Amino acid sequence: VNTLPEDVLVHAWFEPDEKFADRLGALNSRMTELKAADLGIDLGSLEINTVNVHDEDWSEVWKKFYKPFRAGKRLVVKPTWELYDAQENDLVMEIDPGMAFGSGTHETTGMCVELIEKYVKPGDTAIDIGTGTGILAIAAAHMGAKHVLATDLDAVAVRVAAENVKINGFEGVIRCKAGDLLENVDEQADVVIANIIADVIIMMAAPVKNHIKDGGIFMC
């Protein structure tokens, strides 16, 4: 470490495929977490700059790879700009990921959607910690949850999630709120969802019990 220059610049190249938005969103979220952490060392600016090497608009290029797909048995993720011929019993979630993590293509998101379909019942309450684009909160609302609290440390994610909630018509069901994990969460819920990294889940495994009703479920 002592041999490194004062400023270190890391270059990374990513293919603008269907997972590009998730990669960039996860990177931004991780930088936000590191900026908030007190690690006792100088981490530098942690600034992220993006440049498309083909002089294209990277925020638009990846959209051509992001197509409607089935995330669970009934729940279907449809980008807002794509058409989808819904089948009988389909529940369609319209998602515009923007700069937030959670386009739905990540494997853990699909697994959480399947659990939501299986366990969330009409009239349940839910908390989605680290909501990203709001996709899992919206999935819970589709399954009949009467109230969902969606939180995220990233202010951009909270804004994106709120926009997606509005697009899907769940403004009266889902409340989006900025906060670090459980810091702004006062209520209990039947279902708590956390599609976040394992280390953070381990750290909050004990305190999250205070936010789960008796007989409730923690999906992570």
Side-chain angles (χ1 to χ4, degrees):
V1 175
N2 293 332
T3 61
L4 291 175
E6 183 176 347
D7 295 314
V8 178
L9 181 63
V10 178
H11 288 275
W13 282 263
F14 297 100
E15 196 71 28
D17 56 17
E18 73 279 1
K19 295 188 177 181
F20 177 71
D22 274 353
R23 292 191 186 104
L24 191 64
L27 190 58
N28 275 301
S29 295
R30 186 59 176 149
M31 293 305 102
T32 301
E33 292 172 7
L34 286 173
K35 287 178 183 178
D38 183 15
L39 301 179
I41 58 174
D42 181 10
L43 297 177
S45 68
L46 300 179
E47 183 181 354
I48 299 174
N49 294 302
T50 58
V51 177
N52 191 292
V53 294
H54 296 298
D55 197 28
E56 295 181 74
D57 184 354
W58 67 267
S59 65
E60 296 296 324
V61 169
W62 68 272
K63 288 184 176 181
K64 64 185 178 183
F65 298 100
Y66 186 34
K67 302 294 183 182
F69 63 94
R70 190 168 297 280
K73 292 182 178 179
R74 297 185 60 194
L75 288 163
V76 175
V77 176
K78 183 188 87 66
T80 55
W81 56 88
E82 287 283 335
L83 296 175
Y84 175 71
D85 185 15
Q87 307 300 305
E88 187 177 0
N89 295 322
D90 278 354
L91 298 173
V92 180
M93 298 184 284
E94 292 207 45
I95 300 294
D96 186 345
M99 292 284 287
F101 178 84
S103 66
T105 58
H106 196 276
E107 289 81 359
T108 60
T109 307
M111 289 189 283
C112 284
V113 168
E114 291 177 7
L115 290 173
I116 288 168
E117 285 186 327
K118 184 175 181 180
Y119 291 108
V120 175
K121 305 181 298 297
D124 277 353
T125 56
I127 301 170
D128 181 19
I129 303 168
T131 193
T133 58
I135 188 169
L136 297 180
I138 293 168
H142 265 300
M143 299 312 297
K146 65 180 180 182
H147 173 72
V148 183
L149 173 61
T151 72
D152 205 290
L153 177 63
D154 185 358
V156 173
V158 175
R159 176 181 57 78
V160 170
E163 291 172 354
N164 285 321
V165 167
K166 184 176 181 179
I167 289 168
N168 286 274
F170 288 120
E171 292 169 283
V173 176
I174 302 171
R175 179 166 58 101
C176 300
K177 188 176 183 180
D180 185 6
L181 301 177
L182 295 167
E183 70 173 1
N184 289 331
V185 179
D186 301 319
E187 60 257 55
Q188 287 188 322
D190 299 293
V191 178
V192 176
I193 307 160
N195 182 25
I196 50 183
I197 61 175
D199 287 348
V200 177
I201 291 170
I202 292 169
M203 180 181 69
M204 60 181 279
V208 77
K209 291 169 68 176
N210 296 325
H211 298 276
I212 305 173
K213 294 180 181 179
D214 290 342
I217 294 174
F218 182 33
M219 301 178 187
C220 56

